[in-house]
Amino acid sequence: MPMVFGALVPVFLLIVLGHGLRRVMLTDDKPWSGIEQLVYYVLFPALLIDTLSRANLSAVPVAGVGGALLLAVVAMSALCLVLRPWLARRFGVDGPAFSSVFQGATRWQTFVALSVAGNLYGDVGITLASVAMVAMIPLLNVFSVGVLAHYAAPMRLRWPSILLAIARNPLIWACLIGLAINLAQIPVPRPLHDFADALGRCSLALGLLVVGAGLHLEGLRKPKPAALITVGLKLAVMPLIATGLGLGFGLSGTNLAVVACCASVPSASNGYVLARQMGGDAALLAQILTLQTSLAVFTMPLFIALAA
């Protein structure tokens, strides 16, 4: 437990620093938007390609880790849909608000997951988290966009548009390229590896600063019941489901701990942008993201330590 908490401290200190920089120094949205695009389209993909291309995949339970997290996403998505009528009756959660509950309960913050997994388990942790990305990101994008299109968007998107948006995701392409280089045993010159490694080391710190810059602490004063329920679903129920599935797949030790790590991270901040673009309740999602990020520093060590 102390080791896990120690690995989380620098991650959350970077998030706090990002929030402080956003309020004091870089108060305009434009620099942060540029940094986010740089991380998303250049630095983060470089990290994934470099890590996966060099990883010893034969030593990693790809099917177990990917399968546990894939099924956990399906289970949590189904649970949210089952809870929707109760949320509407009990707390007046309308369509746009439900889409934010859904995103908050199912999506995951890849910057935090990769940072914590890397701090705890080095390249093996990053490789396992990358396997989780391949398993979770396409399905999560389909589900999130589908729920927004059905419950929130003034104009429903056609499935070709949804699939095109997923196909344009640079993180998916980075994982596929890295895996292709690895499996085909394509020789990569050392200078290119060093170049990608330098870019990758920048990605995690800058990504965490961006997460902190997007926090809205005013949402902590009077959180809505829907936000509190979503926090419980994401930070408690989701890691329990994923860890249970991981045990069912025969995972243990580092492999199970990374599954718990990926399942217990806060929801993805890019869901806020998606909510704004497609008619979701962006204000509710901002509150959910802030609450989850603030509380995850306490809940993540518990679930990772229990799984390890």
Side-chain angles (χ1 to χ4, degrees), residues 295-306:
L295 295 174
V297 68
F298 304 106
T299 58
M300 284 185 68
L302 175 63
F303 287 106
I304 296 172
L306 289 173

Side-chain angles (χ1 to χ4, degrees), residues 7 10 32 67 81 123 141 150 153 159 162 169 175 189 212 249 256 280 284 286:
W32 292 108
L81 292 172
D123 285 345
N141 276 280
H150 184 79
W159 277 109
I162 297 172
N169 190 308
C175 289
F249 277 97
L256 187 62
L284 175 61

Side-chain angles (χ1 to χ4, degrees), residues 148-294:
L148 276 159
H150 184 79
Y151 291 105
M155 294 181 63
R156 295 187 179 181
L157 296 181
R158 297 180 180 272
W159 277 109
S161 300
I162 297 172
L163 296 176
L164 181 61
I166 296 167
R168 288 174 175 169
N169 190 308
L171 306 184
I172 295 175
W173 279 106
C175 289
L176 293 176
I177 291 170
L179 288 171
I181 293 172
N182 189 310
L183 296 175
Q185 297 183 342
I186 298 173
V188 178
R190 182 57 184 267
L192 287 181
H193 268 311
D194 293 341
F195 173 65
D197 180 62
L199 291 175
R201 283 193 310 241
C202 299
S203 68
L204 295 177
L206 286 176
L208 294 170
L209 291 176
V210 170
V211 172
L215 296 181
H216 299 267
L217 296 185
E218 61 274 7
L220 297 177
R221 296 172 186 170
K222 292 183 179 180
K224 296 180 179 179
L228 294 174
I229 291 170
T230 307
V231 169
L233 290 173
K234 183 67 187 74
L235 298 187
V237 179
M238 183 70 158
L240 286 173
I241 293 174
T243 303
L245 288 167
L247 289 171
F249 277 97
L251 300 179
S252 61
T254 298
N255 302 319
L256 187 62
V258 173
V259 167
C261 170
C262 292
S264 61
V265 293
S267 186
S269 54
N270 56 6
Y272 177 77
V273 177
L274 191 62
R276 285 194 303 181
Q277 291 176 343
M278 295 190 61
D281 191 334
L284 175 61
L285 188 54
Q287 188 177 93
I288 290 169
L289 292 171
T290 302
L291 285 167
Q292 287 183 353
T293 306
S294 302

